[in-house]
Amino acid sequence: MITYSHIPELRSALNASREKKKTIALVPTMGYLHDGHLSLVKKAKSENDVVVVSIFVNPSQFGPNEDFVRYPRNIERDTELANHAGCDILFNPSVEEMYPAGFSSYAVVEDISTVLEGKFRPTHFKGVTTVVLKLLNIVQPRIAYFGQKDAQQCVVISKMVNDLNLQSEISIVPTMREMDGLAMSSRNVYLNSEERKNAVVLNQSLQLAEKLIRNGERNPALIINEMMNMILSKNPTSIDYIEIVGSNDLEKKNTIENDETILIPLAVRFGATRLIDNIIIHV
Ligand code: PAF
């Protein structure tokens, strides 16, 4: 595995691979890799010749009062894990490399970036789509891999790729969970032991929603209410949202129809840590 920090060197290495007709994959990450990231790398390696993993804590997707500065980082550990999972090229640029002085161009996906996470983090998706568009342009992968845990991010990026006629395909990989069901996230390290125990309720509430729907419940308000009660019993600091929306358009459902695919995303705080999770259900 080779590490690059500069765009021109990375590009010339990738051009050499392209000349040899190698297929190239990209796994964009913010580092502090866990098994969820590594499952993306392994899938990418099983489907492509050259796997690029980017590690870049992207300042433009953090709001002013968010955790950019304290976001966990450990490049030595990440380098070893990525290498072991099958990464061929690690791209670890500096903030100046990605956003040089005078940088002023952004990619914005309207409407679907303003709901759910977008209501609580108004500038978040502008930062995500901008950095992902830059990474897709730099690497020009055949396929880029993203985790289902960030469900809205997957929908927003897929929309950008489609709207802007980008050539890369987007592959969405199922969420990896800890043994007790908590979705893997780099931010789980912020949880103290009590919060960590209580956070298991998020996946349990999603399982409850699925059970209610499978048993014939079609009223979103009632399902959300049951989920809220379950989560509230575990002392969250706040429930930012629980919604039932269309899996592609993120539009709120007033009723659930047979044979449609819905997404139930949620964001809940335990202590100071904000966690997101979701489930996709084909009814
Ligand atoms: O999902 C993430 O880790 C980030 O949002 C991404 C896609 C790497 C962009 O910074």
Side-chain angles (χ1 to χ4, degrees):
M1 188 182 79
I2 307 174
T3 299
Y4 294 100
S5 307
H6 297 290
I7 296 164
E9 284 85 342
L10 171 65
R11 277 201 157 137
S12 55
L14 290 173
N15 284 339
S17 295
R18 260 186 287 270
E19 269 167 29
K20 289 185 206 141
K21 304 281 179 238
K22 305 269 189 210
T23 58
I24 295 167
L26 170 66
V27 180
T29 82
M30 297 207 298
Y32 213 70
L33 303 180
H34 51 65
D35 283 349
H37 296 115
L38 301 179
S39 76
L40 305 184
V41 179
K42 286 174 192 158
K43 184 160 169 41
K45 190 61 193 174
S46 73
E47 296 175 350
N48 301 275
D49 299 318
V50 177
V51 175
V52 180
V53 174
S54 62
I55 294 188
F56 178 62
V57 185
N58 173 34
S60 73
Q61 70 188 74
F62 290 79
N65 299 317
E66 293 182 358
D67 56 342
F68 173 68
V69 173
R70 75 176 190 122
Y71 193 85
R73 293 160 169 90
N74 189 338
I75 192 64
E76 288 76 24
R77 183 172 161 275
D78 285 351
T79 303
E80 210 168 300
L81 288 172
N83 188 20
H84 196 245
C87 169
D88 300 288
I89 295 180
L90 193 72
F91 179 47
N92 180 217
S94 64
V95 171
E96 295 69 35
E97 185 76 11
M98 292 298 276
Y99 299 108
F103 182 92
S104 64
S105 304
Y106 295 87
V108 176
V109 176
E110 293 183 339
D111 302 328
I112 55 171
S113 295
T114 62
V115 298
L116 303 168
E117 283 297 283
K119 270 196 194 144
F120 293 85
R121 308 180 71 193
T123 57
H124 174 64
F125 286 114
K126 179 181 173 185
V128 170
T129 41
T130 299
V131 81
V132 170
L133 180 58
K134 282 174 67 73
L135 290 167
L136 291 175
N137 278 332
I138 293 165
V139 176
Q140 297 183 23
R142 185 174 74 99
I143 314 183
Y145 295 80
F146 296 87
Q148 179 59 46
K149 198 198 122 237
D150 296 294
Q152 186 175 8
Q153 170 170 281
C154 292
V155 175
V156 169
I157 289 170
S158 300
K159 183 83 167 68
M160 173 179 75
V161 165
N162 193 48
D163 284 354
L164 300 183
N165 309 101
L166 304 182
Q167 294 239 355
S168 303
E169 189 186 310
I170 300 301
S171 175
I172 296 165
V173 182
T175 303
M176 288 284 283
R177 297 185 179 277
E178 303 290 352
M179 293 287 275
D180 60 6
L182 179 68
M184 289 188 184
S185 164
S186 305
R187 289 189 168 99
N188 289 349
V189 293
Y190 297 151
L191 298 166
N192 68 28
S193 65
E194 188 66 17
E195 292 159 358
R196 170 65 187 80
K197 238 190 287 158
N198 287 337
V200 175
V201 76
L202 300 185
N203 180 47
Q204 289 167 349
S205 75
L206 295 167
Q207 298 305 318
L208 170 67
E210 174 158 32
K211 192 167 150 211
L212 290 169
I213 292 167
R214 298 275 175 241
N215 288 341
E217 183 53 63
R218 294 290 180 264
N219 181 345
L222 195 146
I223 296 165
I224 291 169
N225 196 40
E226 295 282 318
M227 294 175 71
M228 291 248 178
N229 288 339
M230 188 183 221
I231 294 171
L232 286 171
S233 74
K234 295 293 175 185
N235 303 318
T237 319
S238 65
I239 300 180
D240 280 2
Y241 62 82
I242 303 175
E243 288 195 23
I244 299 188
V245 299
S247 63
N248 289 324
D249 57 14
L250 305 182
E251 273 181 28
K252 224 172 179 156
K253 294 277 162 200
N254 294 319
T255 176
I256 299 170
E257 309 288 347
N258 286 342
D259 215 31
E260 69 177 345
T261 305
I262 55 163
L263 167 69
I264 310 183
L266 54 77
V268 175
R269 276 177 209 274
F270 287 94
T273 306
R274 188 171 181 280
L275 299 176
I276 60 170
D277 201 350
N278 69 84
I279 189 168
I280 289 184
I281 301 172
H282 183 70
V283 184

